[in-house]
Amino acid sequence: MPEKDSKQPVDNSRRNFLKNSGFALGGLIVGGVIGGSLTGQKEATTKEAEKVVEKPVDYNKALMFFNQEQFQTTEAAVECIFPQDEHGPGAKELGVAYYIDHQLASPWGINAKDYMQGPFYKGSATQGMQSPLRRAEIFTIGLQGLNTYSQQKYNKKFAELSEAEHEEVLTVFEEGKEFQLTGTTTKEFFKMLRSLTLEGVYADPMYGGNKDMQGWKMRKYPGNQMGYAKDIEKEEFMTIEPKSLHDHMGH
Amino acid sequence: MATKLPKVPVVIAGMGWSGGIIAAELTKAGIKVVGLERGKGRSTADYYMAHDELRYAQRNEMMQDLSKETITFRHNTKERSLPMRTYGSFLLGDGLGGSGSHWNGQTYRFLPYDFEIKSKTIERYGAKKIPEGMTLQDWGITYDELEPYFDKFEKMAGIAGDQEQNPMVGKRSNPFPLPPMKKTPIMKMFEEAAKKLGYHPYTIPSANLTDIYKNPDGIERAACQYCAFCERFGCEYGAKADPVVTVIPVAQNTGNLEVRTYSNVTRIIHDGKKASGVVYVNTLTGEEFEQPADVVILASYVFNNVRILLNSKLGKPYDPVAGTGVIGRNYAYQVQAGKAIGFYDDKEFNTFMGAGALGTIFDDFNGDNFDHSDLNFLHGGGIRVAQTGARPIASNSVPKGTKSWGKEFKSTSIKYANSVITVSTQGANLPYKHHFLDLDPVYKDAYGMPLLRITYDFEDQDRELTKFLAEKAGEVLKEMGPSKMQVSGELGPYDITPYQSTHNTGGVVMGTDPSISAVNRYSQMWDAENVFVVGASSFTHNSGYNPTGTVGALSYLAAEGILKYLQKGGSLV
Ligand SMILES: Cc1cc2nc3c(=O)[nH]c(=O)nc-3n(C[C@H](O)[C@H](O)[C@H](O)COP(=O)(O)OP(=O)(O)OC[C@H]3O[C@@H](n4cnc5c(N)ncnc54)[C@H](O)[C@@H]3O)c2cc1C
Ligand code: SF4
């Protein structure tokens, strides 16, 4: 194991990091983060934290966007994209469906920072997305489509299908030939589903997925460390205990 | 009605590298400057939670808000232009520091060949070598003339690089101010392989400081921590050269710079010969202001440099049919499709570590460093391995033929999570008569101004170049002994959806002939002597390198010209 900061107190503020790595600071500019005030806040909050002993409730696990059926359909779909296996948990256990729910409820879900003025015309694929629909709408239509198609083909809802059947349905959606959606395509929906799944597996746990950083642990990704200046030249592979953004809050 | 403000000597639109450098040089000389920046202010304090791949790398936290303004794109004049509704091919800077706050920091100088590309090509191969429709032209300045300004930029930024002169690039008057970046095992493997094949690899010149550094302006900054969250992220250590931690504070410390953020410049006021100021909108209140000035500087990146001129009806718009006019001429980009990916079955590398400008490159197939007599393309590109930090959402390469989701994908992507090396190529892009920028007739920005339209596609030149560079990259990778490898040398039509690079160039190109250039070597407009248009918009073509070293040098030269102009007036050439 590389330096697990054994000498260092729990506090991982940048100021301490730089102090402990024997790092001298330049005068003028470096103020902001390094001289930040979160260290001060820390002392008060640790005392607070000591009082709480039970495992805290994860209040993040609730829905901002999906209804229950949409949530279940999403859970089944993401698990098929990134299933549980000998490496570790699948997308369902990692909380990816919560992640997607939260993203669709966010400004990103309504394309707040995209150019959404008309007129809308279909262009060549290499001209990029040209739909007036928002991401949250596309995803909702796609989920509905998964159920409609599953009913037609298997007489069941998507969430009730077997693993093999999930794969069959998603393959049809990925190929985008057999089944039509209104306003979007199964292909477009599938692309979004796949990239949201990977994001939910690997984004910082703050966003609702990557439960307990297990997505990172599976691939030996150390999350966000302060830096690797001391290790960057090393020949051997280094497995480093991951850190999340939460660790930087100093409590 | 716009509120008219008191006149100032100099007004700058855009506070990235170009605007920041000019602001520093002018204010140090005692000139009062107003810097108008459409985005917000920034400081290193904003980056406390910066190691967040989703927020910064996937959702482009630091980039221009496209709901307010974007560009439109078509492959050719027959196609309908459509807006870039969401980010893909390139990212647009916004806010104090512009893209300089979230760039990688790979800092090159264009080659001596680049600045005299037309003459040198004809000299070596004859005029017939230049294909029909390729509007190759010299820059009106030589490498040797620009060398002192490269040197100035590098000293200001604290560029780190190998201390010995590389034989494949222009001669340096001074060594790099700082020693090179540290070498990772992957960089060593690449270096060894390239040397074995007879090439001349060197450490990528880097704007990530390799040591504590005090620059000639007296700014002292901390060294890079190899934190692996660099490109698309701000540097919380201030170790990455960024206008916000270098030139802008220098200008502010003189007391001569007034930065106005949330100030979006819409047009230049002029009488056809000279400008008298600019009009801008306060983006928070919607109020419009007129800022009169003796000198107007556009430093608002390639796209808005062109757009503001066209919306102001200043300079002669380019006409692609006749090939006349200059504003919008010679738009070019970068050719990056060629690459070789290696998968290692029994080796893991610390690819999750890295820095924005960490890597090794060779230029044996860049510029005219090799004989093109029997090749059906001109110029070339850099071949390199970079270790910028493989982040898990974006880094899920699997060998060809692997399914892209499900059981097989999961286990294969995890197996290779730390076992992939990519040798990539960065090819030059040469200008064509039918690649240009103009105003879109349909789509508008949030302030009612027409958007800029790009008409552009890849050509056979680019396809041949891609194939050639990919092959060379493959040969090097093979020497590096991967268990499996694949070479991609195919180039389709230009696709605006996947990220390629933010290396857009041209539109207000420099030169000595006003019929084919819009500005002279000082970035001074031929058609309006008190308007200076600064940035990669001056490039007559794009080289096989990242652009910012050359943008920086041209900005220092422009600053010198502006100071002269403020004293004497008139055309500087
Ligand atoms: C992710 C990324 C990585 C990169 N890596 C490298 C690299 O390694 N090496 C390299 O050489 N280059 C790199 N680049 C490119 C580099 O960032 C640019 O070349 C450089 O920053 C350009 O500087 P500029 O000042 O000309 O433009 P910008 O940095 O774009 O600054 C322009 C400024 O003008 C402002 N502005 C625009 N329009 C208006 C208006 N109408 N009114 C007022 N203000 C306006 C913008 O908000 C912005 O702040 C990278 C770019 C990106 C996005
Ligand atoms: S890699 Fe270095 S320069 Fe880049 S953000 Fe991290 S510490 Fe700063």
Side-chain angles (χ1 to χ4, degrees), chain A residues 23 115 119 194 199 207 226, chain B residues 52 225 237 404 443-444:
Chain A
F23 194 87
Y115 188 80
R194 180 188 180 271
E199 286 172 9
Y207 291 100
M226 301 302 238
Chain B
D52 182 344
Q225 294 301 303
Y237 303 108
S404 70
Y443 295 97
K444 301 216 157 54

Side-chain angles (χ1 to χ4, degrees), chain A residues 226, chain B residues 51 104 181 207-209 223-231 233-241 354-356:
Chain A
M226 301 302 238
Chain B
H51 291 186
N104 294 64
M181 299 287 279
N208 315 139
L209 288 184
C224 170
Q225 294 301 303
Y226 297 81
C227 79
F229 289 84
C230 200
E231 76 282 1
F233 304 83
C235 179
E236 71 266 46
Y237 303 108
K240 167 159 65 180

Side-chain angles (χ1 to χ4, degrees), chain B residues 390-470:
Chain B
R391 294 175 289 269
I393 298 173
S395 311
N396 288 286
S397 293
V398 288
K400 253 202 192 101
T402 314
K403 213 171 143 84
S404 70
W405 54 280
K407 276 202 160 61
E408 191 196 2
F409 169 75
K410 182 183 174 189
S411 62
T412 314
S413 63
I414 288 178
K415 172 176 154 79
Y416 291 116
N418 303 295
S419 305
V420 177
I421 296 179
T422 302
V423 176
S424 60
T425 71
Q426 173 154 266
N429 189 226
L430 304 181
Y432 282 83
K433 192 179 167 195
H434 53 282
H435 296 172
F436 64 99
L437 304 172
D438 67 355
L439 292 176
D440 193 275
V442 176
Y443 295 97
K444 301 216 157 54
D445 70 9
Y447 314 101
M449 304 302 284
L451 294 183
L452 193 74
R453 171 167 69 180
I454 302 175
T455 304
Y456 175 80
D457 206 350
F458 289 133
E459 304 290 335
D460 286 343
Q461 145 83 25
D462 307 308
R463 278 179 256 285
E464 294 294 333
L465 176 61
T466 302
K467 202 159 67 186
F468 179 87
L469 290 177

